């Protein structure tokens, strides 16, 4: 059974960098069949896709966050990570990591089959 | 602000049929698959419908999806108390976008 688990600080100061890691068990981030994604949800609001990484290191980011986001993968630890710089209160959210099945390069699928439980990150001084 | 618009809420009594709409445009729903996710209170979203109208294994056939032009719908028939949740549509629009979300209440 595939499991994803987010970890990282629950409190980040404004202007600093939010850093989260997603540890994958029961599956491999080195598989060429998946994208490894980050999605967030501000309290009481809807879902926002942040970006994904492929095992090769190729990435795709939400244009609205692209200048501040870096997603990386560590195949030796079976983990992938999110860094979001220059955070403000608007970045306060539950952050989810998720696995997306890759149907094809030009596919318009959004098949997120496994999700972490989510971790709340609050931006506050 | 999401480009996929859903009604904020929907409700029904047990056994009723509830339909949730998702309105988009030619750049998202009009030219790409629609997905639906269910988010029970305090939990991560769960895939409910993929490729407009397909159900993953384990999803009851009470849930059905459809798409026409630049809009899509999720129908829940035989509404049950455990269906009380938030529902999100999703589609590609250069990058993935989620709908505004609909809270379904079972009266």
């Amino acid at each position: 059974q595939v499991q994803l688990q987010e970890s990282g600080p629950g409190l980040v100061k404004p202007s600093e960098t939010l850093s989260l890691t997603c540890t994958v068990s029961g599956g491999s981030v080195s598989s060429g069949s998946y994208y490894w994604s980050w999605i967030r949800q501000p309290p009481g609001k809807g879902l926002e896709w942040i970006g994904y990484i492929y095992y090769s290191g190729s990435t795709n980011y939400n244009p609205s966050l692209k200048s501040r986001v870096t997603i990386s993968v560590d195949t030796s630890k079976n983990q992938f990570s999110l860094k979001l710089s220059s955070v403000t209160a608007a970045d306060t959210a539950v952050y989810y990591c998720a696995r997306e099945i890759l149907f094809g390069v030009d596919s318009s699928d959004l098949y997120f089959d496994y999700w972490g439980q989510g971790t709340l990150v609050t931006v506050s001084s | 602000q999401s480009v996929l618009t859903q009604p904020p809420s929907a409700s029904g009594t047990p056994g009723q049929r509830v339909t949730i709409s998702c309105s988009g445009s030619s750049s998202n729903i009009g030219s790409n698959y629609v997905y639906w996710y269910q988010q029970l209170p305090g939990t991560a979203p769960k895939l409910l419908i993929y490729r407009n109208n397909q159900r993953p294994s384990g999803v009851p056939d009470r849930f059905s999806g459809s798409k026409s032009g630049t809009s899509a719908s999720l129908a829940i028939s035989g509404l049950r108390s455990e269906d009380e949740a938030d529902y999100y549509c999703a589609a590609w629009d250069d990058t993935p976008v989620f709908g505004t979300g609909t809270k379904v209440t079972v009266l």
Side-chain angles (χ1 to χ4, degrees), chain A residues 13-34:
Chain A
K13 290 182 168 55
S15 81
E16 294 189 344
T17 297
L18 178 160
S19 296
L20 295 174
T21 295
C22 182
T23 301
V24 180
S25 58
S28 173
V29 297
S30 297
S31 170
S33 299
Y34 309 105

Side-chain angles (χ1 to χ4, degrees), chain A residues 35 39 41 45-49 52 60-63 96 100 103 107-113 115-118, chain B residues 31-33 35 37 39 42-47 50-51 56-57 88 90-92 94-100:
Chain A
Y35 290 132
I39 294 161
Q41 184 173 36
K45 296 187 178 181
L47 301 166
E48 180 181 34
W49 178 79
Y52 67 61
N60 189 10
Y61 300 138
N62 186 322
Y96 294 101
E100 180 188 348
F103 282 78
S107 164
S108 68
D109 289 282
L110 292 171
Y111 202 114
F112 297 103
D113 60 345
W115 297 65
Q117 64 185 28
Chain B
S31 52
N32 296 299
Y33 293 124
Y35 277 65
Y37 288 85
Q39 187 175 31
T43 70
K46 169 193 167 186
L47 179 63
Y50 70 100
R51 292 192 167 185
S57 174
Y88 294 92
W92 266 90
D94 286 336
T95 57
V97 290
F98 288 92
T100 50

Side-chain angles (χ1 to χ4, degrees), chain B residues 5-6 11-12 25 32 36 38-39 41 48 50 60 72 80 90 92:
Chain B
T5 303
Q6 300 178 233
S11 62
S25 67
N32 296 299
W36 289 92
Q38 176 194 58
Q39 187 175 31
L48 206 58
Y50 70 100
R80 303 175 69 162
W92 266 90

Side-chain angles (χ1 to χ4, degrees), chain A residues 23-120:
Chain A
T23 301
V24 180
S25 58
S28 173
V29 297
S30 297
S31 170
S33 299
Y34 309 105
Y35 290 132
W36 303 94
S37 303
W38 288 97
I39 294 161
R40 70 180 183 178
Q41 184 173 36
K45 296 187 178 181
L47 301 166
E48 180 181 34
W49 178 79
I50 299 171
Y52 67 61
I53 190 164
Y54 190 51
Y55 82 102
S56 63
S58 64
T59 55
N60 189 10
Y61 300 138
N62 186 322
S64 68
L65 300 169
K66 189 173 184 176
S67 63
R68 299 193 293 129
V69 171
T70 301
I71 298 177
S72 58
V73 64
D74 187 336
T75 55
S76 67
K77 294 182 179 179
N78 215 30
Q79 296 175 333
F80 62 106
S81 299
L82 168 70
K83 290 189 186 298
L84 181 66
S85 64
S86 304
V87 297
T88 69
D91 296 310
T92 294
V94 173
Y95 285 76
Y96 294 101
C97 57
R99 187 181 84 168
E100 180 188 348
I101 294 178
L102 174 57
F103 282 78
V105 175
D106 295 325
S107 164
S108 68
D109 289 282
L110 292 171
Y111 202 114
F112 297 103
D113 60 345
Y114 287 99
W115 297 65
Q117 64 185 28
T119 186
L120 175 63

